[in-house]
Amino acid sequence: MLSERLENLHPYVPGEQPKDRIYIKLNANENPFPPSKNVAKAIKKSVSCHREKLRLYPDPDSVELRTAIADMLNSTGGVLCNSQSAKKELGFKITPQMIFCGNGSDEVLSFVFYTFFGSRCPLVLPEFTYSFYPVYCGFYNIQMKKIPLKNDWGLDIDKMLSESEKNNSPIIFANPNAPTGIALKRAEVESFLKKIPSDRILVVDEAYADFGEESCLSLLKDYKNLVIVRTFSKSFSLAGMRLGFSVANPELINSIFTVKNSFNHFPVDFLAQTAGKAACENYSYYEENAKKIVNERNLLTEFLRSKNWFVIESKTNFIFAKKNGMGGTSIYEAVKKAGILIRHFDTPGIDDFVRITIGTKNQMDRLKKVLAEI
Ligand SMILES: *Cc1c(COP(=O)(O)O)cnc(C)c1O
């Protein structure tokens, strides 16, 4: 009855979204702040004044949204919490033709996998990274070559390079990586790109770059084999809207369009296009929020270290931490009893860690109280 393809599917398990009680949700790296008011206004206006629009199919190419994203990236440099210096470093103009939008960056990644990773050679990726990558490899029947992290939990770029040499394999990693929160410097990514041939694809998933120090967007000027993937779910408070995009040279973007148009012509609905555009136009609101989150992240890191936790230096909106003598599950359970949800992993190697999303100051104060007592 079922197709043989089902055997290769190992679905992703997201952070829980319980309905039984109201928890402080620090388990899915969602943004604790609501989207800006102009997003709600734009949505309201489009359903009341432009009601006709819902009768019609949306713009399949999201032209206005892609223009707004390009403007936002050119204005911020692609790092919201640090946009003054990021902007200076961009060094060229990102055009709408360099942008592809999808229904969440998960879908963008799905199109990117289909476009660039095939059965000719394995895909090189870190052992611990965003756990959707192996799911797509199963879905598209792509072989994987997983590279262990270094002892300091950072990406082993030398090993990724030498593995990718063997079969001219494409490479994907998240930067900053998840769930560790560690970021490679842009200079390190550039030296990696210098060492690979210009026809070998490198995909860098920058879901968390807005909370870090640098973005690799400026490298797109010189490297036509680089694909950057970003999302509105984290720094732009729109996880519920499902909106993500990739940035690359226009030829690669055209190839992703070919895949999209062979699968779902209209992935981004009219309301999501409207919301995303409004969010980009009001990026300074999200800059302020990103700065607050980074401040709370640094305070939580200091606090936990003072309580003898091991906390990895994070460049994201979450921290990855462990407490000697306690497993990830038992920390998770103790915190859950107090009404706070965090994430733990059953995967051997990281099962003593928890991943905690950074929330508002009030939420972090509550959390600190609970963690101090366990
Ligand atoms: C959250 C996340 C995504 C997915 O984001 P959506 O746009 O909500 O699908 C992609 N990559 C990484 C590394 C993430 O953490």
Side-chain angles (χ1 to χ4, degrees):
M1 213 156 62
L2 302 176
S3 100
E4 68 286 358
R5 283 189 294 264
L6 265 286
E7 287 168 22
N8 290 330
L9 297 190
H10 307 283
Y12 179 76
V13 185
E16 58 191 318
Q17 308 273 0
K19 309 267 183 302
D20 59 323
R21 117 175 219 200
I22 297 185
Y23 288 94
I24 297 181
K25 260 191 105 272
L26 306 176
N27 68 337
N29 297 344
E30 291 144 328
N31 198 302
F33 302 108
S36 57
K37 288 196 180 123
N38 78 324
V39 168
K41 256 192 225 154
I43 294 175
K44 258 189 221 151
K45 188 171 165 211
S46 45
V47 286
S48 53
C49 305
H50 309 295
R51 200 153 52 104
E52 269 296 289
K53 290 273 197 180
L54 288 176
R55 188 176 62 79
L56 305 168
Y57 284 109
D59 172 7
D61 299 332
S62 303
V63 172
E64 286 186 27
L65 172 60
R66 286 159 67 213
T67 305
I69 291 171
D71 289 347
M72 178 274 290
L73 293 175
N74 289 323
S75 304
T76 63
V79 186
L80 284 182
C81 78
N82 195 15
S83 50
Q84 280 313 64
S85 52
K87 188 179 160 184
K88 266 186 244 137
E89 287 158 13
L90 206 50
F92 78 114
K93 264 211 152 18
I94 293 170
T95 62
Q97 290 70 36
M98 296 175 68
I99 293 169
F100 172 85
C101 294
N103 192 9
S105 67
D106 285 342
E107 189 194 64
V108 173
L109 283 164
S110 159
F111 291 144
V112 163
F113 271 59
Y114 194 92
T115 310
F116 302 112
F117 309 152
S119 51
R120 209 170 5 89
C121 56
L123 169 67
V124 169
L125 73 170
E127 180 183 3
F128 296 115
T129 186
Y130 185 39
S131 44
F132 226 122
Y133 308 152
V135 174
Y136 284 138
C137 286
F139 191 81
Y140 291 124
N141 207 3
I142 300 160
Q143 299 303 309
M144 285 184 278
K145 183 66 204 177
K146 290 188 178 178
I147 310 299
L149 298 182
K150 294 189 299 184
N151 285 337
D152 63 2
W153 300 95
L155 297 181
D156 192 340
I157 40 175
D158 294 335
K159 191 76 200 304
M160 286 197 281
L161 187 65
S162 61
E163 274 304 326
S164 106
E165 281 307 307
K166 288 184 187 163
N167 300 293
N168 201 24
S169 285
I171 307 116
I172 186 168
F173 53 76
N175 194 42
N177 196 22
T180 60
I182 299 177
L184 287 175
K185 296 221 172 312
R186 184 179 46 232
E188 295 175 280
V189 177
E190 177 159 25
S191 77
F192 187 86
L193 280 161
K194 277 196 177 127
K195 289 176 195 151
I196 66 173
S198 59
D199 62 350
R200 192 186 300 167
I201 293 286
L202 169 65
V203 177
V204 179
D205 183 345
E206 290 198 334
Y208 300 103
D210 278 322
F211 305 104
E213 275 151 27
E214 296 174 322
S215 156
C216 288
L217 286 168
S218 65
L219 300 178
L220 291 168
K221 178 167 178 262
D222 295 324
Y223 299 92
K224 309 297 178 208
N225 50 336
L226 171 64
V227 178
I228 294 180
V229 178
R230 317 247 329 189
T231 177
F232 279 85
S233 297
K234 277 75 186 232
S235 50
F236 280 89
S237 301
L238 283 176
M241 204 80 230
R242 311 308 300 129
L243 200 52
F245 60 96
S246 60
V247 196
N249 94 72
E251 262 173 58
L252 298 189
I253 292 295
N254 277 340
S255 304
I256 306 176
F257 267 98
T258 303
V259 173
K260 178 210 72 153
N261 290 335
S262 313
F263 176 78
N264 177 3
H265 206 143
F266 304 105
V268 187
D269 65 71
F270 170 62
L271 291 182
Q273 292 188 32
T274 305
K277 184 168 168 254
C280 287
E281 287 165 355
N282 201 13
Y283 65 82
S284 55
Y285 166 79
Y286 302 95
E287 280 178 348
E288 290 314 306
N289 292 347
K291 283 179 195 160
K292 286 181 201 160
I293 289 166
V294 164
N295 184 45
E296 288 303 325
R297 175 191 78 205
N298 297 341
L299 291 173
L300 180 65
T301 302
E302 260 173 57
F303 173 84
L304 289 177
R305 283 178 179 166
S306 78
K307 303 276 179 217
N308 293 318
W309 284 61
F310 173 75
V311 188
I312 294 180
E313 195 75 37
S314 170
K315 300 286 182 225
T316 65
N317 69 338
F318 61 84
I319 59 160
F320 198 52
K322 62 179 176 176
K323 171 91 173 162
N324 244 347
M326 283 192 88
T329 314
S330 59
I331 301 171
Y332 156 83
E333 278 167 358
V335 172
K336 186 173 182 181
K337 267 197 201 116
I340 302 175
L341 287 181
I342 58 175
R343 188 103 197 245
H344 69 102
F345 300 86
D346 295 328
T347 327
I350 54 170
D351 50 2
D352 46 353
F353 279 90
V354 287
R355 193 195 69 190
I356 304 173
T357 305
I358 304 303
T360 60
K361 180 178 184 309
N362 277 344
Q363 292 174 332
M364 293 299 100
D365 288 346
R366 272 278 300 281
L367 176 79
K368 284 177 201 164
K369 237 186 219 152
V370 173
L371 289 179
E373 282 164 15
I374 65 172

